[in-house]
């Protein structure tokens, strides 16, 4: 036995499909263009996207370094930016890479550590041993004055120097794949 509500759903289905299908037509050639708005009506800037990392994913940079070392598969993370990736290795620690399009290395907080200027490849960078306490380190590479990559390590046991060695390894492996800055 079909209830009234089910019958109404089935009766309305052809009308819904007709309305949905009639919204588009393959008979009119050309490109869809947005309807112009009145000046001042738009709250979004008309400048094109300024995300230098638009086509680059943090997990694509992290995975080649961590998988051969026995880390878990990397997962997307959004703590520092919308384009981050992290993984861990049971009993060892965790690592992450972030692509930060809106803040350069000058805006990076040293946390509990001290920023040490360095180079990764030909790019300016900073190393921050102890940024999250003992057994931690971040290496950040300047891509532009207002964008960066950060590679961070937090060990379960070990030293800041050991954490920095892994952060440097991740940053060095990722650096050639980064876009050329301005």
């Amino acid at each position: 036995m079909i209830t009234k509500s089910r019958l109404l759903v089935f009766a309305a289905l052809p009308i819904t499909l007709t309305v949905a299908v009639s919204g588009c037509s393959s008979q009119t050639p050309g490109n869809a263009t947005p309807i112009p708005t009145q000046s001042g009506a738009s709250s979004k800037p008309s400048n094109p996207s300024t995300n230098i990392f638009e086509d680059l994913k943090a997990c694509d940079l992290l995975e080649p370094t961590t998988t051969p070392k026995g880390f878990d598969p990397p997962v997307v993370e959004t703590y520092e930016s919308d384009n981050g990736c992290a993984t861990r290795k049971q009993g060892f620690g965790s690592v992450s890479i972030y692509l930060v399009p809106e803040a350069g290395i000058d805006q990076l907080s040293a946390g509990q550590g001290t920023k040490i200027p360095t180079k990764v490849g030909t790019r300016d960078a900073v190393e921050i041993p102890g940024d999250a306490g003992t057994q931690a380190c971040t290496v950040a590479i300047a891509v532009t004055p207002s964008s960066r990559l950060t590679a961070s390590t937090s060990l379960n046991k070990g030293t800041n120097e050991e954490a920095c060695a892994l952060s440097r390894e991740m940053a060095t492996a990722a650096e050639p794949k980064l876009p050329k800055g301005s």
Side-chain angles (χ1 to χ4, degrees):
M1 177 177 198
I2 297 178
T3 64
K4 257 187 186 180
S5 62
R6 285 187 185 168
L7 188 56
L8 289 174
V9 169
F10 287 121
L13 189 57
I15 295 168
T16 305
L17 288 175
T18 302
V19 170
V21 171
S22 67
C24 297
S25 171
S26 61
Q27 296 175 358
T28 306
N31 297 322
T33 56
I35 297 172
T37 59
Q38 296 176 351
S39 63
S42 176
S43 63
K44 291 183 179 181
S46 61
N47 296 341
S49 173
T50 58
N51 184 352
I52 191 164
F53 303 117
E54 192 168 34
D55 296 326
L56 194 58
K57 301 292 176 218
C59 286
D60 293 341
L61 300 175
L62 182 63
E63 189 276 330
T65 303
T66 57
T67 297
K69 296 181 180 308
F71 280 80
D72 292 342
V75 295
V76 173
E77 190 175 86
T78 58
Y79 175 72
E80 192 176 336
S81 80
D82 288 343
N83 195 349
C85 190
T87 184
R88 66 182 187 91
K89 183 176 178 181
Q90 189 68 34
F92 179 78
S94 60
V95 296
S96 64
I97 283 184
Y98 279 93
L99 299 171
V100 185
E102 68 281 344
I105 60 175
D106 292 341
Q107 290 87 29
L108 184 63
S109 169
Q112 298 174 28
T114 302
K115 285 185 182 180
I116 302 168
T118 188
K119 292 273 190 186
V120 174
T122 59
R123 300 175 195 252
D124 290 334
V126 292
E127 188 170 293
I128 311 171
D131 62 333
T134 57
Q135 305 161 325
C137 184
T138 293
V139 174
I141 302 172
V143 178
T144 67
S146 61
S147 66
R148 70 175 184 257
L149 169 137
T150 58
S152 300
T153 301
S154 181
L155 300 175
N156 292 349
K157 55 185 169 185
T159 64
N160 288 341
E161 291 76 24
E162 291 169 322
C164 284
L166 184 50
S167 291
R168 269 192 308 273
E169 181 181 349
M170 292 185 303
T172 301
E175 188 273 332
K177 299 172 185 166
L178 295 174
K180 300 298 178 211
S182 54

PDB file of all heavy atoms in Angstrom, residues 104-132:
ATOM      1  N   GLY A 104      54.442  35.750   5.578  1.00  0.00           N
ATOM      2  CA  GLY A 104      55.823  35.377   5.297  1.00  0.00           C
ATOM      3  C   GLY A 104      56.553  34.903   6.549  1.00  0.00           C
ATOM      4  O   GLY A 104      55.975  34.808   7.632  1.00  0.00           O
ATOM      5  N   ILE A 105      57.849  34.643   6.403  1.00  0.00           N
ATOM      6  CA  ILE A 105      58.618  34.141   7.546  1.00  0.00           C
ATOM      7  C   ILE A 105      58.763  35.194   8.638  1.00  0.00           C
ATOM      8  O   ILE A 105      58.946  34.851   9.803  1.00  0.00           O
ATOM      9  CB  ILE A 105      59.993  33.564   7.134  1.00  0.00           C
ATOM     10  CG1 ILE A 105      60.872  34.611   6.457  1.00  0.00           C
ATOM     11  CG2 ILE A 105      59.817  32.342   6.251  1.00  0.00           C
ATOM     12  CD1 ILE A 105      62.286  34.138   6.137  1.00  0.00           C
ATOM     13  N   ASP A 106      58.656  36.475   8.280  1.00  0.00           N
ATOM     14  CA  ASP A 106      58.735  37.530   9.293  1.00  0.00           C
ATOM     15  C   ASP A 106      57.546  37.499  10.248  1.00  0.00           C
ATOM     16  O   ASP A 106      57.656  37.916  11.396  1.00  0.00           O
ATOM     17  CB  ASP A 106      58.809  38.909   8.638  1.00  0.00           C
ATOM     18  CG  ASP A 106      60.117  39.120   7.893  1.00  0.00           C
ATOM     19  OD1 ASP A 106      61.087  38.384   8.164  1.00  0.00           O
ATOM     20  OD2 ASP A 106      60.159  40.014   7.030  1.00  0.00           O
ATOM     21  N   GLN A 107      56.390  37.012   9.782  1.00  0.00           N
ATOM     22  CA  GLN A 107      55.200  36.948  10.625  1.00  0.00           C
ATOM     23  C   GLN A 107      55.124  35.671  11.455  1.00  0.00           C
ATOM     24  O   GLN A 107      54.217  35.504  12.260  1.00  0.00           O
ATOM     25  CB  GLN A 107      53.922  37.061   9.785  1.00  0.00           C
ATOM     26  CG  GLN A 107      53.686  38.429   9.185  1.00  0.00           C
ATOM     27  CD  GLN A 107      54.373  38.609   7.847  1.00  0.00           C
ATOM     28  OE1 GLN A 107      54.578  37.666   7.111  1.00  0.00           O
ATOM     29  NE2 GLN A 107      54.758  39.835   7.547  1.00  0.00           N
ATOM     30  N   LEU A 108      56.052  34.763  11.285  1.00  0.00           N
ATOM     31  CA  LEU A 108      56.053  33.491  12.011  1.00  0.00           C
ATOM     32  C   LEU A 108      56.515  33.695  13.444  1.00  0.00           C
ATOM     33  O   LEU A 108      57.563  34.289  13.686  1.00  0.00           O
ATOM     34  CB  LEU A 108      56.971  32.490  11.295  1.00  0.00           C
ATOM     35  CG  LEU A 108      57.028  31.078  11.845  1.00  0.00           C
ATOM     36  CD1 LEU A 108      55.665  30.406  11.738  1.00  0.00           C
ATOM     37  CD2 LEU A 108      58.054  30.268  11.064  1.00  0.00           C
ATOM     38  N   SER A 109      55.733  33.214  14.386  1.00  0.00           N
ATOM     39  CA  SER A 109      56.083  33.317  15.801  1.00  0.00           C
ATOM     40  C   SER A 109      57.133  32.271  16.153  1.00  0.00           C
ATOM     41  O   SER A 109      57.056  31.125  15.703  1.00  0.00           O
ATOM     42  CB  SER A 109      54.838  33.091  16.657  1.00  0.00           C
ATOM     43  OG  SER A 109      55.194  32.938  18.009  1.00  0.00           O
ATOM     44  N   ALA A 110      58.088  32.661  16.984  1.00  0.00           N
ATOM     45  CA  ALA A 110      59.133  31.730  17.417  1.00  0.00           C
ATOM     46  C   ALA A 110      58.659  30.840  18.559  1.00  0.00           C
ATOM     47  O   ALA A 110      59.354  29.905  18.941  1.00  0.00           O
ATOM     48  CB  ALA A 110      60.374  32.506  17.843  1.00  0.00           C
ATOM     49  N   GLY A 111      57.472  31.119  19.095  1.00  0.00           N
ATOM     50  CA  GLY A 111      56.984  30.306  20.209  1.00  0.00           C
ATOM     51  C   GLY A 111      57.970  30.334  21.355  1.00  0.00           C
ATOM     52  O   GLY A 111      58.399  31.399  21.790  1.00  0.00           O
ATOM     53  N   GLN A 112      58.372  29.168  21.826  1.00  0.00           N
ATOM     54  CA  GLN A 112      59.338  29.063  22.915  1.00  0.00           C
ATOM     55  C   GLN A 112      60.780  29.048  22.415  1.00  0.00           C
ATOM     56  O   GLN A 112      61.707  29.007  23.214  1.00  0.00           O
ATOM     57  CB  GLN A 112      59.071  27.787  23.718  1.00  0.00           C
ATOM     58  CG  GLN A 112      57.703  27.764  24.362  1.00  0.00           C
ATOM     59  CD  GLN A 112      57.418  26.424  25.021  1.00  0.00           C
ATOM     60  OE1 GLN A 112      58.311  25.722  25.461  1.00  0.00           O
ATOM     61  NE2 GLN A 112      56.143  26.070  25.093  1.00  0.00           N
ATOM     62  N   GLY A 113      60.972  29.054  21.090  1.00  0.00           N
ATOM     63  CA  GLY A 113      62.311  28.978  20.517  1.00  0.00           C
ATOM     64  C   GLY A 113      62.834  30.336  20.076  1.00  0.00           C
ATOM     65  O   GLY A 113      62.299  31.376  20.439  1.00  0.00           O
ATOM     66  N   THR A 114      63.890  30.281  19.295  1.00  0.00           N
ATOM     67  CA  THR A 114      64.520  31.484  18.755  1.00  0.00           C
ATOM     68  C   THR A 114      64.683  31.301  17.254  1.00  0.00           C
ATOM     69  O   THR A 114      65.146  30.252  16.801  1.00  0.00           O
ATOM     70  CB  THR A 114      65.905  31.704  19.398  1.00  0.00           C
ATOM     71  OG1 THR A 114      65.735  31.806  20.806  1.00  0.00           O
ATOM     72  CG2 THR A 114      66.571  32.946  18.868  1.00  0.00           C
ATOM     73  N   LYS A 115      64.304  32.317  16.464  1.00  0.00           N
ATOM     74  CA  LYS A 115      64.472  32.256  15.014  1.00  0.00           C
ATOM     75  C   LYS A 115      65.947  32.385  14.663  1.00  0.00           C
ATOM     76  O   LYS A 115      66.615  33.322  15.091  1.00  0.00           O
ATOM     77  CB  LYS A 115      63.714  33.400  14.336  1.00  0.00           C
ATOM     78  CG  LYS A 115      62.231  33.233  14.273  1.00  0.00           C
ATOM     79  CD  LYS A 115      61.645  34.385  13.455  1.00  0.00           C
ATOM     80  CE  LYS A 115      60.164  34.339  13.380  1.00  0.00           C
ATOM     81  NZ  LYS A 115      59.623  35.454  12.591  1.00  0.00           N
ATOM     82  N   ILE A 116      66.411  31.453  13.852  1.00  0.00           N
ATOM     83  CA  ILE A 116      67.784  31.484  13.361  1.00  0.00           C
ATOM     84  C   ILE A 116      67.725  31.616  11.841  1.00  0.00           C
ATOM     85  O   ILE A 116      67.246  30.703  11.157  1.00  0.00           O
ATOM     86  CB  ILE A 116      68.550  30.206  13.759  1.00  0.00           C
ATOM     87  CG1 ILE A 116      68.549  30.041  15.277  1.00  0.00           C
ATOM     88  CG2 ILE A 116      69.960  30.227  13.188  1.00  0.00           C
ATOM     89  CD1 ILE A 116      69.028  28.671  15.747  1.00  0.00           C
ATOM     90  N   PRO A 117      68.187  32.745  11.280  1.00  0.00           N
ATOM     91  CA  PRO A 117      68.180  32.901   9.821  1.00  0.00           C
ATOM     92  C   PRO A 117      69.060  31.845   9.162  1.00  0.00           C
ATOM     93  O   PRO A 117      70.134  31.490   9.674  1.00  0.00           O
ATOM     94  CB  PRO A 117      68.756  34.299   9.599  1.00  0.00           C
ATOM     95  CG  PRO A 117      68.615  34.997  10.909  1.00  0.00           C
ATOM     96  CD  PRO A 117      68.709  33.929  11.958  1.00  0.00           C
ATOM     97  N   THR A 118      68.596  31.323   8.027  1.00  0.00           N
ATOM     98  CA  THR A 118      69.328  30.301   7.294  1.00  0.00           C
ATOM     99  C   THR A 118      68.906  30.355   5.835  1.00  0.00           C
ATOM    100  O   THR A 118      68.192  31.269   5.421  1.00  0.00           O
ATOM    101  CB  THR A 118      69.085  28.901   7.915  1.00  0.00           C
ATOM    102  OG1 THR A 118      69.943  27.950   7.302  1.00  0.00           O
ATOM    103  CG2 THR A 118      67.644  28.461   7.782  1.00  0.00           C
ATOM    104  N   LYS A 119      69.323  29.418   5.047  1.00  0.00           N
ATOM    105  CA  LYS A 119      68.921  29.268   3.642  1.00  0.00           C
ATOM    106  C   LYS A 119      68.477  27.827   3.435  1.00  0.00           C
ATOM    107  O   LYS A 119      69.039  26.902   4.016  1.00  0.00           O
ATOM    108  CB  LYS A 119      70.084  29.555   2.688  1.00  0.00           C
ATOM    109  CG  LYS A 119      70.546  30.990   2.656  1.00  0.00           C
ATOM    110  CD  LYS A 119      69.746  31.771   1.665  1.00  0.00           C
ATOM    111  CE  LYS A 119      70.381  33.146   1.446  1.00  0.00           C
ATOM    112  NZ  LYS A 119      69.530  33.975   0.597  1.00  0.00           N
ATOM    113  N   VAL A 120      67.479  27.640   2.590  1.00  0.00           N
ATOM    114  CA  VAL A 120      67.100  26.316   2.100  1.00  0.00           C
ATOM    115  C   VAL A 120      67.124  26.448   0.591  1.00  0.00           C
ATOM    116  O   VAL A 120      66.347  27.206   0.015  1.00  0.00           O
ATOM    117  CB  VAL A 120      65.717  25.869   2.612  1.00  0.00           C
ATOM    118  CG1 VAL A 120      65.311  24.555   1.969  1.00  0.00           C
ATOM    119  CG2 VAL A 120      65.711  25.749   4.135  1.00  0.00           C
ATOM    120  N   GLY A 121      68.071  25.760  -0.033  1.00  0.00           N
ATOM    121  CA  GLY A 121      68.336  25.999  -1.446  1.00  0.00           C
ATOM    122  C   GLY A 121      68.859  27.421  -1.566  1.00  0.00           C
ATOM    123  O   GLY A 121      69.762  27.822  -0.830  1.00  0.00           O
ATOM    124  N   THR A 122      68.261  28.194  -2.444  1.00  0.00           N
ATOM    125  CA  THR A 122      68.679  29.595  -2.597  1.00  0.00           C
ATOM    126  C   THR A 122      67.729  30.560  -1.883  1.00  0.00           C
ATOM    127  O   THR A 122      67.903  31.767  -1.962  1.00  0.00           O
ATOM    128  CB  THR A 122      68.704  29.975  -4.096  1.00  0.00           C
ATOM    129  OG1 THR A 122      67.393  29.790  -4.641  1.00  0.00           O
ATOM    130  CG2 THR A 122      69.714  29.124  -4.858  1.00  0.00           C
ATOM    131  N   ARG A 123      66.754  30.016  -1.178  1.00  0.00           N
ATOM    132  CA  ARG A 123      65.719  30.847  -0.552  1.00  0.00           C
ATOM    133  C   ARG A 123      66.056  31.181   0.900  1.00  0.00           C
ATOM    134  O   ARG A 123      66.638  30.362   1.618  1.00  0.00           O
ATOM    135  CB  ARG A 123      64.370  30.133  -0.585  1.00  0.00           C
ATOM    136  CG  ARG A 123      63.883  29.817  -1.986  1.00  0.00           C
ATOM    137  CD  ARG A 123      62.601  29.008  -1.879  1.00  0.00           C
ATOM    138  NE  ARG A 123      62.243  28.373  -3.112  1.00  0.00           N
ATOM    139  CZ  ARG A 123      61.228  28.738  -3.886  1.00  0.00           C
ATOM    140  NH1 ARG A 123      60.488  29.772  -3.556  1.00  0.00           N
ATOM    141  NH2 ARG A 123      60.953  28.083  -4.985  1.00  0.00           N
ATOM    142  N   ASP A 124      65.637  32.372   1.308  1.00  0.00           N
ATOM    143  CA  ASP A 124      65.752  32.753   2.716  1.00  0.00           C
ATOM    144  C   ASP A 124      64.842  31.853   3.535  1.00  0.00           C
ATOM    145  O   ASP A 124      63.754  31.467   3.096  1.00  0.00           O
ATOM    146  CB  ASP A 124      65.346  34.209   2.926  1.00  0.00           C
ATOM    147  CG  ASP A 124      66.352  35.183   2.336  1.00  0.00           C
ATOM    148  OD1 ASP A 124      67.546  34.820   2.213  1.00  0.00           O
ATOM    149  OD2 ASP A 124      65.944  36.307   2.000  1.00  0.00           O
ATOM    150  N   ALA A 125      65.290  31.533   4.737  1.00  0.00           N
ATOM    151  CA  ALA A 125      64.525  30.663   5.619  1.00  0.00           C
ATOM    152  C   ALA A 125      64.878  30.984   7.065  1.00  0.00           C
ATOM    153  O   ALA A 125      65.826  31.735   7.330  1.00  0.00           O
ATOM    154  CB  ALA A 125      64.833  29.196   5.303  1.00  0.00           C
ATOM    155  N   VAL A 126      64.096  30.427   7.973  1.00  0.00           N
ATOM    156  CA  VAL A 126      64.407  30.493   9.396  1.00  0.00           C
ATOM    157  C   VAL A 126      64.245  29.102   9.978  1.00  0.00           C
ATOM    158  O   VAL A 126      63.407  28.311   9.529  1.00  0.00           O
ATOM    159  CB  VAL A 126      63.527  31.497  10.177  1.00  0.00           C
ATOM    160  CG1 VAL A 126      63.832  32.922   9.776  1.00  0.00           C
ATOM    161  CG2 VAL A 126      62.060  31.189  10.046  1.00  0.00           C
ATOM    162  N   GLU A 127      65.069  28.804  10.958  1.00  0.00           N
ATOM    163  CA  GLU A 127      64.967  27.569  11.709  1.00  0.00           C
ATOM    164  C   GLU A 127      64.627  27.968  13.137  1.00  0.00           C
ATOM    165  O   GLU A 127      65.223  28.899  13.678  1.00  0.00           O
ATOM    166  CB  GLU A 127      66.300  26.822  11.649  1.00  0.00           C
ATOM    167  CG  GLU A 127      66.251  25.445  12.236  1.00  0.00           C
ATOM    168  CD  GLU A 127      67.524  24.671  11.935  1.00  0.00           C
ATOM    169  OE1 GLU A 127      67.765  24.355  10.757  1.00  0.00           O
ATOM    170  OE2 GLU A 127      68.264  24.406  12.900  1.00  0.00           O
ATOM    171  N   ILE A 128      63.664  27.284  13.732  1.00  0.00           N
ATOM    172  CA  ILE A 128      63.234  27.631  15.089  1.00  0.00           C
ATOM    173  C   ILE A 128      63.288  26.378  15.964  1.00  0.00           C
ATOM    174  O   ILE A 128      62.281  25.688  16.165  1.00  0.00           O
ATOM    175  CB  ILE A 128      61.816  28.237  15.097  1.00  0.00           C
ATOM    176  CG1 ILE A 128      61.688  29.356  14.054  1.00  0.00           C
ATOM    177  CG2 ILE A 128      61.470  28.768  16.486  1.00  0.00           C
ATOM    178  CD1 ILE A 128      60.269  29.849  13.865  1.00  0.00           C
ATOM    179  N   PRO A 129      64.474  26.066  16.501  1.00  0.00           N
ATOM    180  CA  PRO A 129      64.552  24.937  17.424  1.00  0.00           C
ATOM    181  C   PRO A 129      63.794  25.264  18.708  1.00  0.00           C
ATOM    182  O   PRO A 129      63.872  26.373  19.210  1.00  0.00           O
ATOM    183  CB  PRO A 129      66.052  24.782  17.700  1.00  0.00           C
ATOM    184  CG  PRO A 129      66.750  25.873  16.971  1.00  0.00           C
ATOM    185  CD  PRO A 129      65.745  26.697  16.261  1.00  0.00           C
ATOM    186  N   GLY A 130      63.026  24.300  19.201  1.00  0.00           N
ATOM    187  CA  GLY A 130      62.317  24.486  20.458  1.00  0.00           C
ATOM    188  C   GLY A 130      61.090  25.365  20.371  1.00  0.00           C
ATOM    189  O   GLY A 130      60.586  25.825  21.386  1.00  0.00           O
ATOM    190  N   ASP A 131      60.561  25.592  19.174  1.00  0.00           N
ATOM    191  CA  ASP A 131      59.393  26.464  19.031  1.00  0.00           C
ATOM    192  C   ASP A 131      58.195  25.975  19.835  1.00  0.00           C
ATOM    193  O   ASP A 131      57.423  26.773  20.358  1.00  0.00           O
ATOM    194  CB  ASP A 131      59.016  26.656  17.563  1.00  0.00           C
ATOM    195  CG  ASP A 131      58.635  25.364  16.864  1.00  0.00           C
ATOM    196  OD1 ASP A 131      59.110  24.281  17.265  1.00  0.00           O
ATOM    197  OD2 ASP A 131      57.867  25.434  15.893  1.00  0.00           O
ATOM    198  N   ALA A 132      58.038  24.696  19.967  1.00  0.00           N
ATOM    199  CA  ALA A 132      56.929  24.125  20.741  1.00  0.00           C
ATOM    200  C   ALA A 132      57.471  23.399  21.976  1.00  0.00           C
ATOM    201  O   ALA A 132      56.887  22.436  22.451  1.00  0.00           O
ATOM    202  CB  ALA A 132      56.105  23.185  19.870  1.00  0.00           C
TER     203      ALA A 132
END
